[in-house]
Amino acid sequence: MTPRDYPLDPYWMPFTANRAFKAGPRLFVGAKDMHYVTEDGRKVLDGTSGLWCVNAGHCRPKIVEAIQKQAAAMDYSPAFQMGHPGAFRVAERVAKLAPGDLNRVFYTNSGSEAVDTALKIALAYHRARGDGQRNVLVGRERGYHGAGFGGISVGGMPANRRAFGSLLPRVDHLAHTHNLEHNAFSRGQPAWGAHLADELESRIIPLHDASNIAAVIVEPMAGSAGVLIPPKGYLERLRAICDKHGLLLIFDEVITGFGRLGTCFAADAVGVVPDMITIAKGLTNGTVPMGAVIARQGLYDAIVNSAPPGTIELFHGYTYSGHPLATAAAEASLDLFEEEQLFRRAQELAPYFQEAVHSLREMPYVVDIRNMGMVAAIELEPRPGKPGERAFKTFLKCYENGALIRTTGDIIALSPPFIISKQQIDELMGTLGNALREVGRE
Ligand SMILES: Cc1ncc(COP(=O)(O)O)c(C=O)c1O
């Protein structure tokens, strides 16, 4: 390996143990299809689609060329009071893919911004209808909705909130649905747990009064907090309660959007139509930062039509909303998903992936394995007094031995690109199994 000609200190890395990383850095310098290449030239099988985003695999020529072409043709176009064709074309295609009458697309640059945007749209919608007292937002424990103040307020990951003061006021949280006693080793959606949605009606609505609640936001499948699979019937019940009391339902599909569960959206997989969907990640196959909110037409109409003609209707947006490079990447990604029928491929591969991951059940300290579509989690019993250490050591061993996995606490998450072959699934499980065995002996 050639010595690095740059220092590691100035870069303050996100969601990273900076000191440990800089003492033993792990750097990628290349990527192609199912693999990363490390700075010392090793190939690493990508078991996580980067960070749940590279659904079609890495450096796909169609996407690369579209970005290159767009960069040369028009680098930037102002997002406010000006437009460019790609932004309209992508919105049309996303609207067509979305369920029900979710057909209005507001661009952001990340999942975090998409979440904050959705929360703001929910508040603005109620206000536009003369219902402005509806400003309570309801999230869920162990929810991850990005790192903005809105997202961490409705989110339910204690470590992400601890250092940052009082956050948004008027937020409440549903209980999460993960329960090892009832649901361990479920294949697909667990049978137990739909009743947990009833807490919205039995506790949260009486506490705040329905007339004060704006929206409920959940990840249909919670990814970052450790792959929490929705119990059968749970999301349906949330929808029914929201409808009954006039609450908007937001699905955060930043991870589940674009095929992860074998359908374009998780909403399609469970047959529930929310009022808004937040997306990012897979929209551009991870290549150029881009997110969006897809809203029901009624939300758009209520906000837009309540403003005087000729005036700005929603005072919100970003310099890079609908950036030309991002829309070029999104168009090419959507083309590729379609041409290669990648959502269907994810669906067809899911049963094989399921059996492969459940084959790790007898590995040391495994207390649960769960999966849905092309996502799976292996939960380990924490080492006494050292939560997270066992999983992180497994992550490091896998990396040394040529596979990228992801960990949250003692939960290992797998979410490979949909182009993975069965042989590569076996390889991933083989490397992970060996790492679990080795770490289990320590
Ligand atoms: C469900 C969900 N929402 C929001 C986000 C935040 O997205 P970003 O990191 O692009 O801001 C993530 C990121 O993992 C996510 O999983």
Side-chain angles (χ1 to χ4, degrees):
M1 191 173 79
T2 49
R4 268 181 224 103
D5 57 0
Y6 49 89
L8 298 179
D9 283 340
Y11 176 28
W12 188 344
M13 298 175 72
F15 283 117
T16 297
N18 274 258
R19 289 162 299 176
F21 182 95
K22 288 164 191 177
R26 301 173 292 280
L27 273 71
F28 288 140
V29 296
K32 185 77 194 119
D33 297 329
M34 277 304 304
H35 291 91
Y36 278 108
V37 180
T38 64
E39 65 175 341
D40 53 351
R42 291 187 306 113
K43 276 175 86 176
V44 174
L45 182 66
D46 184 359
T48 60
S49 300
L51 272 180
W52 319 82
C53 48
V54 187
N55 293 359
H58 293 274
C59 286
R60 302 299 307 271
K62 189 174 192 98
I63 306 173
V64 173
E65 283 157 22
I67 298 167
Q68 286 170 334
K69 207 167 133 206
Q70 183 60 51
M74 183 172 70
D75 49 359
Y76 177 74
S77 157
F80 310 157
Q81 305 288 14
M82 292 300 298
H84 69 93
F88 293 92
R89 285 199 299 260
V90 172
E92 154 83 353
R93 290 183 69 176
V94 168
K96 280 214 171 103
L97 287 169
D101 68 341
L102 280 84
N103 60 14
R104 297 292 181 263
V105 179
F106 194 105
Y107 293 121
T108 68
N109 309 293
S110 66
S112 301
E113 290 175 355
V115 166
D116 282 13
T117 300
L119 299 177
K120 287 172 85 172
I121 290 175
L123 296 172
Y125 164 75
H126 290 300
R127 178 177 274 261
R129 297 169 71 241
D131 225 359
Q133 84 288 348
R134 280 191 184 263
N135 57 16
V136 175
L137 299 166
V138 180
R140 190 168 56 183
E141 288 175 344
R142 295 184 73 166
Y144 182 65
H145 299 293
F149 272 102
I152 61 172
S153 300
V154 293
M157 295 178 73
N160 293 359
R161 298 158 55 95
R162 200 170 290 135
F164 307 115
S166 51
L167 313 182
L168 284 187
R170 295 176 71 67
V171 170
D172 209 337
H173 292 81
L174 287 158
H176 66 77
T177 61
H178 187 45
N179 187 304
L180 285 184
E181 194 189 328
H182 292 283
N183 289 337
F185 299 102
S186 293
R187 285 168 153 80
Q189 288 188 266
W192 181 95
H195 66 281
L196 295 167
D198 296 341
E199 188 201 9
L200 179 60
E201 195 164 41
S202 63
R203 182 179 72 79
I204 291 182
I205 288 179
L207 195 60
H208 300 279
D209 200 280
S211 66
N212 292 317
I213 303 178
V216 175
I217 180 167
V218 292
E219 300 159 88
M221 189 242 18
S224 300
V227 182
L228 314 184
I229 314 279
K232 282 187 187 138
Y234 172 87
L235 295 166
E236 291 87 329
R237 276 206 216 185
L238 275 189
R239 177 72 275 183
I241 299 167
C242 287
D243 282 346
K244 186 169 156 196
H245 297 280
L247 281 50
L248 296 177
L249 179 61
I250 305 166
F251 277 180
D252 184 349
E253 297 228 29
V254 166
I255 280 180
T256 50
F258 303 99
R260 183 53 56 193
L261 302 185
T263 49
C264 185
F265 296 104
D268 307 315
V270 294
V272 175
V273 181
D275 298 295
M276 281 185 266
I277 291 178
T278 53
I279 53 173
K281 297 188 188 269
L283 173 58
T284 58
N285 203 40
T287 53
V288 180
M290 184 180 212
V293 176
I294 321 170
R296 294 183 73 177
Q297 186 174 332
L299 272 65
Y300 173 89
D301 289 345
I303 292 172
V304 167
N305 296 336
S306 72
T311 61
I312 291 170
E313 301 100 352
L314 184 68
F315 282 83
H316 179 69
Y318 304 96
T319 299
Y320 302 119
S321 286
H323 191 285
L325 264 57
T327 57
E331 280 193 279
S333 301
L334 296 175
D335 284 346
L336 195 61
F337 294 150
E338 210 174 290
E339 278 163 27
E340 299 189 355
Q341 293 285 295
L342 284 176
F343 306 160
R344 191 193 301 160
R345 183 175 163 81
Q347 195 167 54
E348 286 168 0
L349 216 48
Y352 189 87
F353 183 60
Q354 168 175 284
E355 294 318 307
V357 71
H358 279 272
S359 74
L360 299 173
R361 183 171 179 155
E362 301 309 324
M363 293 294 146
Y365 300 109
V366 171
V367 293
D368 186 24
I369 296 179
R370 47 190 181 266
N371 66 286
M372 187 173 179
M374 287 303 285
V375 185
I378 298 116
E379 184 160 348
L380 305 179
E381 184 186 319
R383 199 166 264 174
K386 295 186 174 167
E389 192 191 83
R390 192 163 269 150
F392 197 71
K393 284 199 161 170
T394 308
F395 160 80
L396 291 176
K397 283 242 180 312
C398 282
Y399 173 74
E400 281 162 20
N401 295 325
L404 184 69
I405 62 169
R406 186 161 166 68
T407 66
T408 305
D410 276 294
I411 300 167
I412 293 163
L414 301 175
S415 57
F418 313 150
I419 59 166
I420 193 169
S421 66
K422 289 182 177 172
Q423 199 186 345
Q424 286 166 331
I425 291 177
D426 295 344
E427 182 189 327
L428 179 62
M429 301 307 165
T431 307
L432 176 53
N434 288 339
L436 285 167
R437 249 185 245 106
E438 274 184 59
V439 172
R441 278 197 294 269
E442 286 177 7

